[in-house]
Amino acid sequence: MATALAACNLCEAICGLELTLTDDGTGVASARGNAADPLSRGYICPKGVSLGDVYADPDRLRRPVRRVGSGPEARWEELSWDDAFDLVADRLSATITEHGRNGVGVYLGNPSAHSLGSATHGSLLARALRTRQRFSASSVDQIPHQLVAHLLYGHQLLLPVPDLDRTTFFLVVGANPMASNGSLMTAPDFPQRVRDLQARSGRMVVLDPRRTETARVADEHHFVRPGTDAAVLLAMVHVVLAEGLERPAPYLRGVDDVRAAVAAFTPEEAERVSGVPADVVRSLARELAAADAGVVYGRMGVSTQQFGTACQWAIQLLNALTGHLDREGGAMFPTPAADVVGARVIPPGHYDAWRSRVRDAPEFAGELPVSVLAEEITTPGEGQIRAFVTNAGNPVLSTPDGRGLATALETLDFMVSVDLYINETTRHADVILPPTSALERDQYDLVFHSLAVRNTARYTPAVFEKDEDQRHDWEIFGELATRIVARLGAELPPDAAGLVGLPPAQVVAMLLAAGGQVTLDDLLEHPEGVDLGPLRPALPARLQTEDKTIDLAPALLLGEAERVRAWLAEAQVPDGDELMLIGRRHKQDCNSWLHNTTRLTKGRARHHLLMHPDDLSARALRDGERVVVRSRVGLVEVEVSSTEEMMPGVVSLPHGYGHQLDGVRLRHAVQVPGVSINDLTDPAALDVSGNAALSGVAVTVSATR
Ligand SMILES: Nc1nc2c(c(=O)[nH]1)N[C@H]1C(S)=C(S)[C@@H](COP(=O)(O)OP(=O)(O)OC[C@H]3O[C@@H](n4cnc5c(=O)[nH]c(N)nc54)[C@H](O)[C@@H]3O)O[C@H]1N2
Ligand SMILES: Nc1nc2c(c(=O)[nH]1)N[C@H]1C(S)=C(S)[C@@H](COP(=O)(O)OP(=O)(O)OC[C@H]3O[C@@H](n4cnc5c(=O)[nH]c(N)nc54)[C@H](O)[C@@H]3O)O[C@H]1N2
Ligand code: SF4
Ligand SMILES: [Mo]
């Protein structure tokens, strides 16, 4: 039977796969990890197998469709690509002519970063539209990381990653890589990498309000109350500096300003709000400072919260001050073969260059917080969004007050979505343009090789040829951009115009040539991937700051320390009726999609609200019964599960559930129970970066009886 190599693009681990094709060569019979892949080394998770299901899924769109009617009565009609492109270009250019550039809004979802064509050509659309109403899943995810990287290292994507394979002290704050497979840390087969760490006498310590899959395999776990990590992390910085444990590199500046800023953050104050014992805060700081190879790593839990930026800053401070930045086993910068940072393919970023129209929220790197999207659609006035474009996303399920956003989408003059499926968001579109799926296109992970725990490079040619009447995403962006500017009597800037029709392979070839580590030909000869060795020290040369130093204490971040201090002075531990809601991810879930694959949805239901048994009994609730969860924004009804893995006072719902596809005729729909956590999260709650504070939402839980 024929086999083919593929790259899984369903999460940041970018595993190499070996597919066995069906006898006629038109489908996937089975999939396994490719042992020859130098990064993933044969690892695969349950989702990797489902790539073939997506390819074969009869409900995946392959031709453009137009919606006729709305709500449960809506019908979808196929139309030709040419007609679809014309229709979309007509409507978007008409909106611009009538309402101005900011009359069109754009949202880019998570899989945009996981497709080579979106990475190379996605910006074409923004450059044709030139709107300030730009949004993405980044502002319900990692904007604080990017803001801090921009301020400290001079580029929003110059993000240090844990040198996981060589560290001996790994402090994980608000991340669950045993389920997520790592994020802003491309580390396929995290479970084995942790076993290796422990086998070399290293330790993993986890701070998380839930005893997660990662906490369970850790050497130490402490509950931390949601949203209070900044107090813990800044207290750790305080301990490092107060005890003289710092070892700053010569290119670090601002240590004394940091010392002054953290003076008020004592471990005792941290304990009061967070529940993490003061002696644990002290011993973690000392253990990090004493470790030969130590690193602090924090992800979603400390990014999507009220002090996300302060947390990410404190994490950089801890690594840098204890001498673990740019050091083996510490926090290191990959040297990717195709370097989008050095080549400035992605700009370094800027903050607060303009603000949102209705709420006056600052932009970051040209994007506004997605939490302001609904109000920008519904609030009349100049710059109101009248037409809307989405690519690879589902903000109705993935952004705060998703239900409110769905209502807002219904008021638009026009909406177009580039997506493989009709989902809770794209069902509101007038036109859906479906690109080819992962196995039908070439892949090179421009983003994730830049965040990997080992330097590798891999170019994977398409497994299946697309049929003539399909389009790749880069072709869709090129076509739309060209037709829109033509209607506006405008032109694309020369570098953008040069991209139209240029296959992504050529973009990759140019980037690889600039880097000089490998060529595209090398990679085509080795589709399993090429090993470029362990991470290596790169500072100060790789810094993108003008003077090649790192200012640890930019004014914005000092201001954040002050904001955390002011909050700390007032902060009370919630009591009485109130609980704090957090999210969770499961191994078999992929954000809000893939819930239509039998393979990933069979087995025990996993949509429940998790709650500590004491919190259930305090409310006279029974394990398994349906409860009402209320927040300022909305309410949902869902089954509750009693578990001691939750910190008392904290409850958890998974993210990406709550499908609302009633009335949408799908051939193969699987009914997955559950509710959307984002019917409870609050678009008013933002970090300074504009990131949504999804963690620590105040809720009450009561019986439906
Ligand atoms: N409360 C809460 N909210 C959260 C989170 C949380 O933890 N808690 N997590 C946040 C995070 S980290 C993220 S990244 C977001 C994700 O939120 P989004 O990015 O808005 O949503 P996804 O579920 O990733 O949407 C995937 C869509 O992309 C389509 N798709 C898949 N591949 C492709 C492709 O190659 N091209 C195109 N055009 N479409 C494709 C799928 O069909 C699906 O419809 O959710 C965020 N929201
Ligand atoms: N299987 C699977 N893998 C995925 C995804 C998926 O949907 N499914 N999504 C992918 C995406 S888009 C992303 S961004 C990554 C995310 O990757 P991770 O960040 O590793 O994943 P999460 O499960 O969101 O982990 C967040 C952790 O923070 C904890 N937490 C919540 N609030 C707080 C808090 O206030 N303080 C602290 N200290 N902890 C808190 C939660 O309990 C949870 O364990 O995963 C990626 N991988
Ligand atoms: S961990 Fe699973 S979903 Fe992520 S890339 Fe690997 S196989 Fe795909
Ligand atoms: Mo994400």
Side-chain angles (χ1 to χ4, degrees), residues 390-414:
T390 72
N391 178 54
N394 193 2
V396 167
L397 290 192
S398 60
T399 68
D401 191 18
R403 213 185 292 233
L405 177 61
T407 311
L409 295 179
E410 281 298 296
T411 68
L412 289 165
D413 295 340
F414 181 72

Side-chain angles (χ1 to χ4, degrees), residues 11-12 47 110 141 173-177 179-183 207-210 212 224-229 297 299-302 305 582-591 655 695:
C11 87
E12 298 177 38
K47 283 187 298 179
N110 169 275
D141 191 343
V173 197
N176 187 12
S180 70
N181 295 298
S183 181
L207 299 181
D208 198 298
R210 180 165 79 92
T212 59
V224 54
R225 208 164 277 122
T228 66
D229 304 81
Y297 164 71
R299 240 337 248 127
M300 280 290 286
V302 283
Q305 55 146 288
I582 62 169
R584 69 176 183 274
R585 286 178 155 74
H586 304 124
K587 231 186 169 127
Q588 301 93 323
D589 290 325
C590 187
N591 293 322
H655 137 75
S695 275

